[in-house]
């Protein structure tokens, strides 16, 4: 299937061709026609599936072909859970809409309100916002939502996970009833369905992969290791190919900072991205990583959510996430857009229970491969009663807490060899990444 058959305007088709996109991804093929026809959509799609274009293209087309543009009353609102995702959606909208007269601005916390207020006063078509800061603007009456025709809820499940439900409800009731709503979510948790039933009009449901599905091109490796030796093992793995870029996940902000200090001191250019960093520091870390100036980006779950890094060959879980669903989100950053990816987890004995949950969620065994010289003093346990990190403790000396879950033991672990270079030529991967880099944003 080609983009031409989806009913997109020539200006968008030209922008897509500039991007080098030759055919729509499954979520784009399924979502664009009904979105262009004006239907509400309830779309199950995780990061990495091309979901941003699935809503951005119909949104741009609708705005460019109808009504006044750049008034003080924005006509579209895109809500995202994080600042990074808001910035990324903004960048995509600018790139896809570069041949159209449609303007967009971002509204998120961590930066001063003044420039945001000025941008709104100048007039804008699309506001991309995180719920908290949007509420601030609503309360201060610096934003008029009365002309919003299209609402996009991006990563709605994550917004609910982050406790934004009350804010979302207040925003939703402040919007015009007559509007199109496009909701994208990695999973259709019951709370998402409830939200959809309450605030959407007869939505079309689209699901291109099973909820919680993991990109099929991603292979998983678990290396059991004592918590006290995780840093050394990480360094060992990263040093196997110091040119290869890796995204490393830490459960805590403090843990991420400590890891970055350690890696930098060990000669690996690293940066952290987490909620305690200023917006500028986060943006700089991400752009340094994208440009290749930084080889290792250490991120916490919330900060990393939605980060769009093209064709990342490897994601390393320095700590397992405390909630199994986050594993799916984390590794959504590798194996994207048809590329193969590798998800490596360093798992200490006290995280055994978390690994049990992940295997249960993925419904698959994950090879457990000790690395010579880093074998743990106690083997991992893979049953429902397996230990989980205590509050204030955790793998690699980090916090963690969650009530144990019930369930049956998963199948036994199959050891297999670790192959750091086994997922293809990473230098070539980086080359592809650079050559595929996007056209510079217009504004
Ligand atoms: P998303 O799920 O929106 O975060 O997109 C994941 C990645 O896929 C991003 O790097 C996009 O630039 C890329 N992408 C989106 N649509 C396409 C397409 N039709 N063909 C190839 N890559 C795409």
């Amino acid at each position: 299937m080609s983009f031409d058959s989806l009913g997109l305007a020539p200006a968008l088709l030209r922008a897509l061709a500039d991007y080098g996109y030759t055919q729509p991804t499954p979520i784009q093929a399924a979502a664009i026609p009904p979105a262009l026809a004006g239907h509400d959509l309830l779309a199950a799609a995780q990061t990495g599936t091309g979901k941003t274009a699935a809503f951005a293209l119909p949104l741009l087309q609708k705005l460019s072909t109808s009504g006044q543009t750049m008034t003080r009353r924005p006509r579209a609102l895109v809500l995202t859970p994080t600042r990074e995702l808001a910035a990324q959606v903004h960048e995509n909208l600018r790139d896809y809409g570069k041949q159209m007269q449609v303007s967009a601005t971002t509204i998120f916390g961590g930066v001063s309100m003044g420039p945001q207020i000025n941008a709104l006063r100048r007039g804008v078509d699309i506001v991309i916002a995180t719920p908290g800061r949007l509420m601030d603007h609503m309360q201060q009456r610096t934003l008029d939502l009365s002309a919003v025709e299209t609402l996009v809820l991006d990563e709605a499940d994550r917004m609910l996970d982050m406790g934004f439900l009350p804010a979302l409800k207040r925003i939703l009731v402040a919007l015009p009833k007559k509007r199109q709503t496009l909701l994208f979510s990695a999973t259709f948790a019951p709370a998402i369905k409830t939200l959809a039933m309450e605030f959407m009009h007869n939505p079309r449901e689209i699901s291109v992969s099973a909820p919680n599905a993991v990109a099929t091109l991603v292979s998983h490796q678990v290396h059991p290791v004592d918590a006290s030796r995780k840093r050394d093992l990480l360094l060992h793995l990263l040093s196997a190919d110091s040119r290869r870029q890796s995204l490393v996940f830490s459960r805590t902000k403090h843990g991420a900072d400590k890891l970055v200090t350690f890696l930098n001191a060990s000669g690996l250019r690293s940066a952290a991205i987490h909620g305690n960093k200023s917006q500028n520091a986060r943006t700089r870390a991400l752009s340094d990583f994208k440009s290749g100036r930084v080889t290792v980006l250490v991120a916490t779950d919330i900060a990393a959510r939605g980060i769009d890094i093209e064709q990342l060959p490897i994601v390393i879980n320095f700590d397992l996430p405390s909630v199994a669903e986050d594993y799916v989100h984390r590794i959504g950053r590798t194996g994207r857009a048809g590329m193969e990816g590798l998800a490596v987890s360093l798992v200490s004995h006290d995280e055994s229970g978390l690994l049990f949950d992940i295997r249960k969620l993925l419904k698959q065994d994950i090879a457990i491969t000790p690395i010579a010289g880093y074998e743990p003093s106690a083997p991992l346990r893979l049953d429902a009663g397996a230990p989980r990190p205590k509050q204030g403790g955790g793998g690699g000396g980090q916090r963690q807490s969650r009530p144990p879950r019930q369930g049956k033991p998963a199948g036994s672990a199959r050891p297999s060899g670790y192959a750091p270079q086994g997922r293809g030529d990473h230098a070539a991967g980086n080359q592809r990444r650079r050559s595929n880099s996007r056209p510079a944003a217009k504004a």
Side-chain angles (χ1 to χ4, degrees):
M1 182 187 282
S2 72
F3 277 110
D4 305 36
S5 57
L6 298 181
L8 291 170
L12 289 173
L13 294 176
R14 282 195 296 274
L16 291 170
D18 282 355
Y19 243 71
Y21 295 173
T22 49
Q23 56 183 39
T25 64
I27 187 70
Q28 291 162 2
I32 291 173
L36 284 175
H39 296 292
D40 279 8
L41 293 189
L42 191 55
Q46 62 187 71
T47 310
T49 54
K51 68 178 172 60
T52 314
F55 64 76
L57 298 171
L59 179 59
L60 287 164
Q61 178 142 332
K62 185 171 164 187
L63 292 172
S64 71
T65 52
S66 68
Q68 267 187 302
T69 57
M70 293 201 56
T71 74
R72 286 190 175 194
R73 296 192 310 150
R75 293 167 57 204
L77 175 64
V78 181
L79 290 175
T80 70
T82 64
R83 310 160 189 185
E84 283 75 17
L85 187 58
Q88 225 141 51
V89 168
H90 188 198
E91 193 184 319
N92 283 2
L93 282 164
R94 267 194 315 223
D95 289 350
Y96 299 140
K98 63 186 177 177
Q99 303 193 17
M100 296 176 144
Q101 299 301 315
V102 176
S103 63
T105 196
T106 46
I107 292 213
F108 47 65
V111 292
S112 65
M113 302 235 337
Q116 298 176 352
I117 294 172
N118 290 340
L120 293 170
R121 282 207 186 115
R122 281 196 297 275
V124 67
D125 301 307
I126 308 171
V127 168
I128 307 134
T130 51
R133 179 54 70 90
L134 188 83
M135 293 272 295
D136 294 343
H137 281 278
M138 285 165 65
Q139 272 150 13
Q140 296 192 21
R141 300 189 185 285
T142 44
L143 173 61
D144 182 347
L145 294 174
S146 64
V148 170
E149 301 159 13
T150 310
L151 168 70
V152 178
L153 298 169
D154 192 11
E155 304 199 354
D157 53 337
R158 194 59 171 189
M159 286 198 269
L160 299 193
D161 287 352
M162 290 170 71
F164 283 135
L165 184 61
L168 279 184
K169 286 192 166 178
R170 284 164 78 170
I171 295 165
L172 283 159
V173 295
L175 294 173
K177 284 217 160 39
K178 191 172 171 312
R179 61 159 196 271
Q180 183 181 25
T181 304
L182 310 175
L183 184 153
F184 285 73
S185 181
T187 59
F188 281 163
I192 299 283
K193 291 268 190 182
T194 308
L195 195 68
M197 268 161 50
E198 206 174 332
F199 294 103
M200 296 175 76
H201 308 291
N202 194 16
R204 304 279 163 105
E205 282 195 30
I206 293 175
S207 180
V208 290
S209 55
N212 300 329
V214 169
T216 48
L217 292 173
V218 176
S219 47
H220 309 259
Q221 288 271 357
V222 163
H223 300 316
V225 60
D226 286 341
S228 60
R229 299 217 59 208
K230 276 193 176 188
R231 288 191 337 178
D232 295 336
L233 177 55
L234 178 70
L235 186 62
H236 171 75
L237 298 176
L238 292 174
S239 305
D241 181 355
S242 56
R243 290 163 308 158
R244 177 178 63 189
Q245 286 198 295
S246 307
L247 178 60
V248 175
F249 281 95
S250 159
R251 260 202 312 273
T252 65
K253 302 167 199 169
H254 180 57
D257 284 337
K258 279 200 325 199
L259 210 47
V260 163
T261 307
F262 168 75
L263 293 173
N264 277 322
S266 309
L268 280 171
R269 278 168 303 155
S270 312
I273 182 163
H274 59 63
N276 279 1
K277 296 263 176 197
S278 70
Q279 188 53 41
N280 279 347
R282 291 158 73 164
T283 308
R284 191 170 56 244
L286 191 56
S287 71
D288 282 352
F289 187 64
K290 283 186 170 185
S291 70
R293 277 192 294 278
V294 154
T295 323
V296 184
L297 187 66
V298 183
T300 54
D301 287 291
I302 287 177
R305 175 76 177 176
I307 289 179
D308 175 16
I309 301 159
E310 289 174 36
Q311 300 174 356
L312 194 62
I314 184 165
V315 165
I316 300 181
N317 296 307
F318 182 77
D319 306 302
L320 285 185
S322 37
V323 177
E325 284 77 6
D326 280 340
Y327 182 86
V328 177
H329 295 308
R330 286 181 178 190
I331 68 167
R333 262 139 290 274
T334 186
R336 315 181 87 186
M339 293 289 295
E340 289 191 352
L342 177 61
V344 174
S345 302
L346 312 189
V347 184
S348 52
H349 179 74
D350 65 336
E351 296 175 295
S352 297
L354 305 180
L355 181 60
F356 170 80
D357 292 341
I358 290 166
R359 286 160 51 115
K360 201 168 139 207
L361 180 75
L362 298 184
K363 296 192 179 64
Q364 73 181 80
D365 281 352
I366 302 176
I368 298 183
T369 320
I371 300 287
Y374 298 89
E375 293 90 347
S377 46
L380 298 181
R381 264 182 61 187
L382 290 166
D383 56 84
R388 289 150 202 282
K390 291 191 190 67
Q391 186 106 39
Q398 318 219 3
R399 69 103 197 147
Q400 205 304 290
S401 155
R402 195 180 50 158
R405 291 184 178 188
Q406 299 303 311
K408 290 200 168 62
S412 63
R414 267 182 293 107
S416 77
Y418 178 70
Q421 278 86 24
R423 309 303 309 169
D425 173 355
H426 298 300
N430 283 343
Q431 188 60 46
R432 277 194 298 275
R433 206 175 68 79
R434 274 191 291 279
S435 63
N436 272 5
S437 69
R438 301 162 172 183
K442 241 189 8 172

